[in-house]
Every structure is written in C-alpha cells, then in structure tokens.
Amino acid sequence: MEPVFNHFDEAGNAVMVDVTGKEPTFRTAVAEGTIKVTRPILDAITGRTAAKGDVLGVARVAGIMAAKRTWELIPLCHPLLLSHLSVDFEILEEACAVRAACTVKLSGKTGVEMEALTGVSVALLTIYDMCKAIDKGMELGDIHLVHKEGGKSGVYDRE
C-alpha cells in the first residue's frame, strides 16, 4: 500500500491538513542532534567562559522559542498549544561534542514531531553562533526523531 500524502488537494495544490473532525489525544515527541566542537569550545561551554555568555542556557531558550514558533517557519504546520517543552544537553567528552534533546507534549489533534525537530535544530545552531568566534569548524549532525506517540500512527521509537 502506498502512503497517502494529505498535504495536497485534488488538483495537486499544497494545503494544510484538515484536522477539524479529529479528537484530541495526548501526543509527545523527542528529537536529538549533536554538534561536534573543538576542545577549546567544549571547555568554554562547560566552564561558562564563552565571550557571548552561558552557551547552553541561551541555546535552551532559543530551542524552546523556536519549537513554539514552528508553525511560522515550516509551511503547512498547525499552530499548536504546547503543554510541555524542554531542551536538554549532554556533554560528550570523548567525542568532543554536545548532544541536544528536545521534548514536546500536548493534548491535540496533530503531532509535535516538527516542533521537537525544530527545537533541537535551533538549539544546535545557537551553540554554533555563540562559539563561532572560537572556531568555525563545528559540525551539526545526526538530527533525528527519537520517539513519538499519539495519533493515528501510534508509537514510534527509533532503533
């Protein structure tokens, strides 16, 4: 069975999916990504000595703000009333990297995967922006959906 793409009308025009008749359900999504940095950058992040300030604190707020505004950034996304949103970081000493995770929850008619992916992406971009004066060779990557639940497609856990 081929997947049904419901972001197009009968004439092939892009449309926002109509969720009017759907019942709200609990939905959650978690996305992760990493930024590989140099040792001086990792030291500046962990020692809170970066010239622009608290890198992870600012990146956390940026990720939260971005996830809340996903509908303004990604065409055809619905504006959502999010009930929980967090951005957390893990320092990966041996890999000389920072892993970011964004968790989003709501009770609603549509999923929050795009919000989680947007939140983690902007958090990582903010780390880059705040540390680029030290070294511009940072690498963002491995941005992916880790978990989602709720809605018609049920639970998804990345293997």
Side-chain angles (χ1 to χ4, degrees):
M1 182 171 150
E2 287 190 35
V4 176
F5 296 105
N6 52 5
H7 279 89
F8 301 98
D9 66 12
E10 301 79 28
N13 299 309
V15 295
M16 182 183 278
V17 174
D18 185 355
V19 296
T20 307
K22 293 174 79 175
E23 289 296 319
T25 60
F26 172 76
R27 296 160 185 268
T28 188
V30 180
E32 287 183 353
T34 58
I35 183 167
K36 293 179 185 175
V37 300
T38 61
R39 178 56 56 187
I41 290 175
L42 198 61
D43 291 345
I45 290 171
T46 58
R48 296 182 177 213
T49 59
K52 288 189 173 185
D54 178 7
V55 174
L56 299 184
V58 174
R60 176 175 285 112
V61 172
I64 290 169
M65 290 174 63
K68 290 169 54 175
R69 299 185 76 164
T70 299
W71 66 278
E72 294 178 305
L73 302 169
I74 307 295
L76 310 178
C77 279
H78 293 84
L80 301 176
L81 184 59
L82 305 177
S83 59
H84 171 77
L85 180 49
S86 64
V87 176
D88 297 295
F89 301 99
E90 179 183 358
I91 302 298
L92 307 174
E93 284 285 346
E94 288 188 27
C96 207
V98 178
R99 177 181 296 131
C102 182
T103 302
V104 183
K105 297 178 183 180
L106 64 60
S107 178
K109 297 179 178 189
T110 187
V112 289
E113 297 92 338
M114 293 310 300
E115 286 72 14
L117 288 162
T118 299
V120 79
S121 298
V122 170
L124 294 172
L125 286 167
T126 301
I127 293 171
Y128 185 97
D129 180 56
M130 293 189 72
C131 297
K132 68 184 181 224
I134 301 169
D135 186 339
K136 293 173 181 50
M138 294 170 278
E139 183 180 320
L140 284 73
D142 197 25
I143 297 169
H144 58 276
L145 183 67
V146 175
H147 172 81
K148 77 79 105 181
E149 61 185 89
K152 184 169 46 176
S153 64
V155 175
Y156 165 83
D157 284 305
R158 184 170 191 239
E159 296 183 18

